[in-house]
Amino acid sequence: GPNELAHPLSVAGVQGRLIQLRPQQRLAHSMISGGSLLAVHDGVLAIDAMSSKSERQILDFLMPGDIVFEAACLSPHKVSLRAITIASLTHAVGAEMSHTDSAPQFWQFLFEQAEAQLARANIHQLIIGHLDAEARVVSFLLALTLRSSGYLRSGMLLSLPMSRDDIADYVAVNHDTLSRVMMRLETLGLIQRINRHTVRIANIEKLSQLTPIWGMLSVVLERQAALRGLGSDSP
């Protein structure tokens, strides 16, 4: 099982316990029941939902600063958190959240973070429900770049710690379609694949023209990057 350390970790003024996960280790839905809260401290995780037909759909990728409420994972299907990389989370229960010297700031942080994540989830539903395969993949690449760095510029490197199967599940295309789209983007000179888990964003202007929701993506995700303290301007 996950390694839950005894020493406290403070997140937004709340004392919690640090949970460490190995790559591909799962944290059961029961860990966020009973009014508890999980906050991502390090690493990347996926929220996996399994349908009644045992088909997986990744609902979101979680990165440092993201939070998980019990209500956020309510689903008619089985939902779990899975570590993509080595990851650590803060686990705070109700008592720890209600007894803090910085309660107003804490609840403001939770509200703003939850609002940003809800907007991101709504955009994801728009992407997989209305865009073609190419626009889905481009939207994912742009969104992940903004979430990782807080800014966009041509020539920057983008880390892709998740597998191709994970990405395909998240944007609701099959593995072969994802590979074809990535190859086409590289042929057009818009991206350059450095290795299995890294791509270079070669031409951000032309890449952003391939998704009709680029304006919406930039507004929502730049706001979320500001909550995490990431710079919105190119260095």
Side-chain angles (χ1 to χ4, degrees), residues 117-139:
Q117 288 180 216
L118 178 60
R120 193 173 74 217
N122 289 338
I123 289 178
H124 178 234
Q125 292 300 312
L126 177 64
I127 289 172
I128 64 176
H130 297 279
L131 302 187
D132 61 28
E134 182 177 83
R136 294 183 194 186
V137 175
V138 169
S139 297

Side-chain angles (χ1 to χ4, degrees), residues 123 126-128 130-143 146 152 185 190 204-218 221:
I123 289 178
L126 177 64
I127 289 172
I128 64 176
H130 297 279
L131 302 187
D132 61 28
E134 182 177 83
R136 294 183 194 186
V137 175
V138 169
S139 297
F140 166 75
L141 293 174
L142 293 172
L146 274 174
L152 289 169
L185 296 179
L190 306 184
I204 192 64
E205 291 79 13
K206 290 185 178 180
L207 189 65
S208 62
Q209 291 173 5
L210 296 182
T211 172
I213 64 166
W214 162 238
M216 186 185 303
L217 275 174
S218 61
L221 296 176

